[in-house]
Amino acid sequence: MWTTERKVRNYVEKHHLIQEGDVLVAGISGGADSVCLFYLLIELQAIWKFRLIAVHLNHMLRGEEAVRDQKFVEEICRREGVPFRAFEKDVAHLAAEEGLSLEEAGRKARYDAFAQVMREECGTKIVLAHHRDDQAETMIHHMARGTGITGLCGLRPMSGDRIRPLLCLERKEIENYLTEREIPWQTDSTNLNDDYTRNKIRHHVVRYLCEEINPSATAHMAETAEELQETELLLEQLTEACMCQCTTEADGKMIFQENFWGEPDLIQRRAILQGMKKVAGFARDFTRTHAEDVRKLREKPVGKKIMLPYGVEAVRDYEGMIIRKTEGKTQHCLHSSLVLEVGEEVKEWNLGEYTIYCCVIPYNFGTIEEKTYTKWLDYDKIKNSVEIRHRRSGDRISILPSGGSKKLKDYLIDRKIPREKRDDLWLAADGSEILWVIGDRISEAYKVTDKTRKILHIQIKGGNIHE
């Protein structure tokens, strides 16, 4: 048995990824990673007696090259006697139709194909060819965009019905294994350019870390990811125990009792996030900031409340802290905040009666138009994520070209905005720094200058906005 085969077998056994009688649906693109996965699975069939089905998706982005890859995968499947399922999807059209990036649209198309084969073939698991270099890229990507322990866990050996037997291998090991066994593979030309975020991370960040800092950088990051996964599992157990002992769930609301506040801050935040997700029925858009806002509410008088995404509110009550749905609001139509995951593709989000369009574009030193509900900001100056929300304690805005900032509250008073309207204002924020008081001014600190290289373009439509 080859060293690589033994390594993968041990990894599969350690994480219980495959059982006898499984029906495995494997994504095989024709690249080195998936071809390695294909042949390793064939070797592992002798041990676990599972059924293997290969799935290939033509994204219709690379013309004859994509046809070449499909024929290659079909041929190796025919030669090895493995059932082969091919799909075609116009990913560019899907991206435009659903407002996704090409990466997101491609991922959606692949998992749709996997899901179809799983249904039709009574599949038990989807097998993916992610390896240690992918793990490093994922961790760096999540960290750059802002994440917590969960995001830093990166790719897991098993996520639901998806398994990743190659997470114990580095890309170099994979290519060496195929070369030694004289197994050919195909090269996707789109992986060689920097059009996609992951390619940029792979070609520049990971390569620099391995060549200039430590050749074992990806291996160490993979080890860290495994340790963080164990940490995350422990924290999940502690959070669940906290919720059992310190909270009550009744009539669609979560009540956090007085003994809850004796728990460590980290467990409090996790439990509050869990409570918000349970009440809303959705996980997206709930952040650490929302959990902190709820924790601060404990210091307020009984009756005080704050609004949260999906028509959820937190209320300081005699019973303790209550998280519940707001009467008369549906979980789909009301957000109190929205974190924009921005990129080069134009994306859109619904925020009540408004639609927000956003993308990042290169600055060509042209004229910046002055519009009330369309703004251009210096993207490189943004430190955190861009959040559309109402005002919070500690918010500041820069109003002088010379620098410095002032409290948002003081600015709104200076602008003679009535007290009763201040809490209803929508803001684009970078942490506690206000980028844009929507319908009013943008921050001087984020204005486009002759040093700007990338622009964040935000446009808001809907409601009574006519621009």
Side-chain angles (χ1 to χ4, degrees):
M1 179 180 286
W2 298 76
T3 302
T4 300
E5 292 170 1
R6 186 179 298 108
K7 194 171 182 178
V8 172
R9 174 181 173 175
N10 292 340
Y11 189 78
V12 169
E13 287 178 339
K14 176 183 176 181
H15 295 285
H16 312 289
L17 301 184
I18 300 174
Q19 282 76 41
E20 188 165 333
D22 268 337
V23 178
L24 302 185
V25 177
I28 311 297
S29 67
D33 309 338
S34 66
V35 170
C36 178
L37 174 67
F38 177 79
Y39 283 100
L40 287 172
L41 288 173
I42 289 172
E43 297 297 327
L44 294 175
Q45 271 187 308
I47 302 169
W48 281 288
K49 313 296 182 188
F50 55 82
R51 182 171 169 233
L52 176 62
I53 302 164
V55 175
H56 178 86
L57 175 69
N58 180 347
H59 297 70
M60 301 176 69
L61 293 171
R62 295 180 292 123
E64 286 303 313
E65 186 180 284
V67 174
R68 176 207 69 185
D69 291 353
Q70 181 173 325
K71 289 180 178 177
F72 172 81
V73 176
E74 187 172 9
E75 173 57 25
I76 64 174
C77 288
R78 184 196 62 75
R79 197 162 56 238
E80 299 296 336
V82 174
F84 172 72
R85 296 287 301 274
F87 295 84
E88 286 187 356
K89 185 68 178 181
D90 188 340
V91 168
H93 178 74
L94 175 66
E97 189 175 55
E98 300 197 14
L100 304 171
S101 69
L102 285 176
E103 285 179 286
E104 291 169 329
R107 190 178 303 112
K108 182 180 187 304
R110 287 193 295 276
Y111 284 115
D112 286 347
F114 293 148
Q116 181 178 332
V117 177
M118 288 280 281
R119 288 193 304 270
E120 295 173 354
E121 302 287 347
C122 299
T124 56
K125 288 163 189 165
I126 296 167
V127 196
L128 304 171
H130 295 123
H131 47 75
R132 279 186 163 182
D133 295 63
D134 294 317
Q135 180 72 287
E137 291 161 18
T138 299
M139 292 177 74
I140 292 168
H141 194 196
H142 288 176
M143 191 158 41
R145 291 169 59 184
T147 190
I149 292 175
T150 304
L152 289 177
C153 288
L155 303 167
R156 298 171 186 261
M158 178 181 289
S159 306
D161 60 2
R162 302 171 191 178
I163 62 172
R164 300 178 175 89
L166 304 191
L167 278 183
C168 58
L169 302 179
E170 295 176 33
R171 181 178 285 113
K172 190 179 297 183
E173 291 180 86
I174 288 171
E175 293 180 356
N176 287 344
Y177 170 74
L178 294 176
T179 301
E180 289 170 10
R181 285 195 57 181
E182 298 182 344
I183 296 172
W185 68 87
Q186 304 300 309
T187 299
D188 181 342
S189 60
T190 61
N191 289 333
L192 304 177
N193 58 46
D194 285 347
D195 290 347
Y196 301 109
T197 302
R198 279 191 172 274
N199 286 4
K200 294 173 185 174
I201 293 172
R202 179 182 308 136
H203 297 158
H204 303 288
V205 183
V206 174
R207 181 175 295 169
Y208 185 88
L209 287 172
C210 292
E211 292 178 358
E212 302 293 334
I213 306 299
N214 188 339
S216 301
T218 55
H220 292 324
M221 291 178 74
E223 291 163 2
T224 300
E226 285 205 37
E227 190 164 323
L228 286 170
Q229 288 163 14
E230 294 173 0
T231 303
E232 176 71 7
L233 179 60
L234 175 61
L235 289 173
E236 285 175 2
Q237 294 168 350
L238 292 172
T239 302
E240 189 60 34
C242 165
M243 294 195 74
C244 289
Q245 297 165 11
C246 306
T247 69
T248 305
E249 188 174 358
D251 300 323
K253 63 184 179 181
M254 294 291 303
I255 303 171
F256 292 80
Q257 299 151 186
E258 206 55 38
N259 60 338
F260 173 75
W261 307 106
E263 296 289 328
D265 292 355
L266 175 60
I267 300 301
Q268 285 184 27
R269 287 194 297 270
R270 293 175 66 95
I272 289 168
L273 285 169
Q274 189 72 10
M276 290 189 287
K277 293 170 186 177
K278 281 189 175 184
V279 171
F282 291 84
R284 191 178 174 88
D285 293 340
F286 289 118
T287 67
R288 176 194 174 107
T289 301
H290 295 124
E292 284 295 342
D293 288 344
V294 173
R295 292 180 68 233
K296 291 174 184 175
L297 191 59
R298 181 180 178 242
E299 303 165 7
K300 305 295 182 183
V302 168
K304 287 289 185 180
K305 63 176 69 174
I306 58 171
M307 298 301 302
L308 299 163
Y310 303 116
V312 174
E313 65 180 6
V315 184
R316 185 75 172 99
D317 192 84
Y318 289 110
E319 297 178 84
M321 186 72 67
I322 298 177
I323 295 177
R324 66 190 183 193
K325 293 299 293 293
T326 306
E327 291 185 12
K329 303 290 184 181
T330 69
Q331 59 193 24
H332 298 289
C333 71
L334 179 67
H335 297 260
S336 69
S337 73
L338 185 67
V339 177
L340 306 185
E341 297 178 5
V342 299
E344 295 170 2
E345 301 284 333
V346 177
K347 296 184 183 180
E348 66 177 75
W349 295 263
N350 293 320
L351 187 69
E353 59 185 334
Y354 302 107
T355 302
I356 300 170
Y357 301 87
C358 192
C359 68
V360 177
I361 56 177
Y363 180 37
N364 61 7
F365 299 96
T367 303
I368 297 295
E369 260 185 293
E370 290 294 334
K371 290 189 174 183
T372 305
Y373 292 98
T374 303
K375 295 298 178 185
W376 292 260
L377 304 164
D378 191 325
Y379 178 69
D380 293 321
K381 292 179 180 176
I382 296 171
K383 303 179 184 68
N384 304 291
S385 56
V386 179
E387 184 178 12
I388 307 296
R389 59 171 174 80
H390 296 301
R391 66 174 180 152
R392 294 180 184 147
S393 175
D395 284 344
R396 301 186 70 85
I397 185 169
S398 177
I399 60 171
L400 296 174
S402 57
S405 64
K406 68 188 308 180
K407 291 181 179 179
L408 177 66
K409 177 182 176 181
D410 294 340
Y411 169 73
L412 297 178
I413 291 172
D414 292 344
R415 293 282 290 135
K416 296 183 170 52
I417 305 289
R419 181 193 298 270
E420 63 273 13
K421 292 185 178 181
R422 294 173 201 162
D423 289 335
D424 294 329
L425 288 172
W426 286 108
L427 309 165
D430 173 18
S432 61
E433 294 293 322
I434 302 305
L435 304 166
W436 177 23
V437 179
I438 295 174
D440 193 57
R441 70 169 299 146
I442 65 171
S443 167
E444 288 288 335
Y446 296 88
K447 276 192 171 180
V448 174
T449 70
D450 57 3
K451 294 181 180 178
T452 300
R453 293 294 174 265
K454 290 183 181 179
I455 291 178
L456 177 68
H457 175 225
I458 306 181
Q459 183 177 29
I460 298 181
K461 295 182 178 180
N464 59 357
I465 294 174
H466 303 286
E467 181 173 84

